[in-house]
Amino acid sequence: MKKYDVYAIGNAIVDIVTEVDDTFFQINGIEKGLMTLVDEKRQSELMKAIDMKKSKLSGGGSAGNTVAAINQFGGKSFYSCLVAKDDLGKFFLEDATRNGIGTSLKYETLPEGHTGRCLVMTTPDAGRTMNTFLGVNALFSPAHLDEEAIKNSTYIYMEGYLVPSPDGLQAMLETKKIAEKHKVGVALTFSDPSMVKYFGDQMKQVVGASVDLLFCNDEEAMIFTGTNSIDEAREELKKVAKRFAITLGANGALIYDGDTFINIEPYTVKAVDTNGAGDMFAGAFMYAITHGHSFAEAGKLASLASSKVVSQFGPRLQTEQARKVLTDLA
């Protein structure tokens, strides 16, 4: 038995979740539906343009959401990341503690600067558009890894949002190297279409000869493989991932367990906010496969859990909601 089910690395982000309409994007020159990296000045301008009183703070970040989900279902995780010694950094650490997430960060020794924050703009069509200021996440490097925690985990999990940063990319490559040395499973999420579209070479570096488990959506799968259909993309992905899960939005998901393709039926819900759906899918899936469930069972749990996330605002469930998802499937 390993101490942790999953050791994750990623950008530690505090989400500022708000509702806007399409005219907000036009007025402020925002590309709808994508995650865009912005500087502090740009994000401050946008925060002045929204109604902060109606906005909600939430612990976030792709990998952060995933490890929170793993713990809410009853698993154990460790998260290597970086926040600053400021109010948002304190909020992030307190949120991690509440969720039982292991970390080596201590508020007293955090660097000066600004904790990463993401303005998550949701629209009436349930779309989510993110403008992210990375803050001290730009300093995250191999120096922040914890080899002992990696060695004591069943899987490592890396988020694709790290690839634009040279130090973040090196941290991903080093994490994978340490995991392989200790025979720990390697899981990767592409995180966002923009990461494979604009940083495809870096992502291919991380994938290397192979990863044990890959998470992506249909758009990311086709961009990464240079194909025009899911049928083509899945065959190409078999060459670089031993197992993978492709989420298909309202059409469910496609799982490859290393031998067979498994179609996962969707749970029909009224979606109000798709932010965090992929993170929850990965968290529920990894919880399941590290607790004795088959890939088909893991896909079913992940599909149900992510359907619950998109039917509410915010990227995470409450612990009691996550536990109810488990009992509903039992």
Side-chain angles (χ1 to χ4, degrees), residues 16-18 47 50-57:
I16 303 162
V17 184
T18 192
M47 287 170 67
I50 66 169
D51 187 347
M52 283 297 290
K53 290 178 183 175
K54 291 184 179 178
S55 302
K56 180 185 173 187
L57 287 185

Side-chain angles (χ1 to χ4, degrees), residues 15-287:
D15 284 347
I16 303 162
V17 184
T18 192
E19 294 178 64
V20 300
D21 56 28
D22 286 350
T23 57
F24 183 86
F25 299 135
Q26 294 160 14
I27 292 168
N28 291 282
I30 297 168
E31 192 171 358
K32 184 181 176 181
L34 290 181
M35 191 289 291
T36 305
L37 292 175
V38 296
D39 59 22
E40 186 184 9
K41 181 184 176 187
R42 169 64 169 161
Q43 197 181 64
S44 294
E45 290 170 355
L46 292 174
M47 287 170 67
K48 286 175 186 172
I50 66 169
D51 187 347
M52 283 297 290
K53 290 178 183 175
K54 291 184 179 178
S55 302
K56 180 185 173 187
L57 287 185
S58 169
S62 176
N65 291 335
T66 294
V67 293
I70 290 166
N71 281 36
Q72 287 176 333
F73 285 116
K76 291 183 179 178
S77 61
F78 191 100
Y79 189 29
S80 283
C81 56
L82 192 61
V83 293
K85 196 174 184 179
D86 60 6
D87 288 343
L88 289 182
K90 189 175 182 183
F91 174 88
F92 187 92
L93 286 182
E94 288 173 349
D95 182 75
T97 300
R98 270 195 307 274
N99 283 291
I101 299 165
T103 176
S104 53
L105 294 179
K106 292 181 175 59
Y107 184 75
E108 301 73 31
T109 57
L110 293 175
E112 298 297 327
H114 299 283
T115 293
R117 58 189 189 235
C118 177
L119 185 58
V120 182
M121 295 160 282
T122 63
T123 43
D125 61 1
R128 65 101 173 92
T129 302
M130 300 183 290
N131 274 209
T132 304
F133 167 56
L134 289 176
V136 296
N137 282 300
L139 304 176
F140 184 73
S141 73
H144 298 103
L145 303 179
D146 190 319
E147 182 166 355
E148 195 63 23
I150 294 173
K151 186 171 71 174
N152 284 297
S153 299
T154 303
Y155 273 93
I156 61 155
Y157 178 82
M158 304 180 290
E159 70 168 65
Y161 287 128
L162 286 171
V163 294
S165 160
D167 284 342
L169 175 61
Q170 287 307 310
M172 295 177 84
L173 295 172
E174 184 64 19
T175 302
K176 187 181 181 191
K177 182 179 173 184
I178 294 169
E180 289 171 343
K181 180 173 91 172
H182 295 296
K183 295 181 171 52
V184 172
V186 174
L188 168 70
T189 174
F190 285 156
S191 295
D192 192 89
S194 62
M195 294 298 104
V196 283
K197 183 177 180 180
Y198 300 115
F199 303 97
D201 289 343
Q202 292 92 323
M203 199 69 83
K204 284 171 183 170
Q205 253 190 287
V206 177
V207 172
S210 182
V211 292
D212 295 302
L213 179 57
L214 174 67
F215 293 96
C216 58
N217 65 25
D218 47 358
E219 185 181 359
E220 293 156 2
M222 288 186 283
I223 293 172
F224 184 79
T225 57
T227 57
N228 297 308
S229 72
I230 285 300
D231 285 346
E232 293 175 292
R234 72 182 195 176
E235 292 304 318
E236 290 301 309
L237 285 181
K238 283 166 65 176
K239 299 173 184 178
V240 294
K242 293 173 186 172
R243 292 167 288 276
F244 54 80
I246 305 174
T247 55
L248 306 170
N251 295 316
L254 176 69
I255 309 292
Y256 180 62
D257 67 2
D259 181 49
T260 306
F261 286 109
I262 306 162
N263 289 305
I264 303 298
E265 292 297 315
Y267 287 85
T268 305
V269 294
K270 177 174 168 44
V272 297
D273 177 14
T274 56
N275 179 35
D279 304 333
M280 173 55 74
F281 188 97
F285 194 94
M286 295 196 77
Y287 163 78

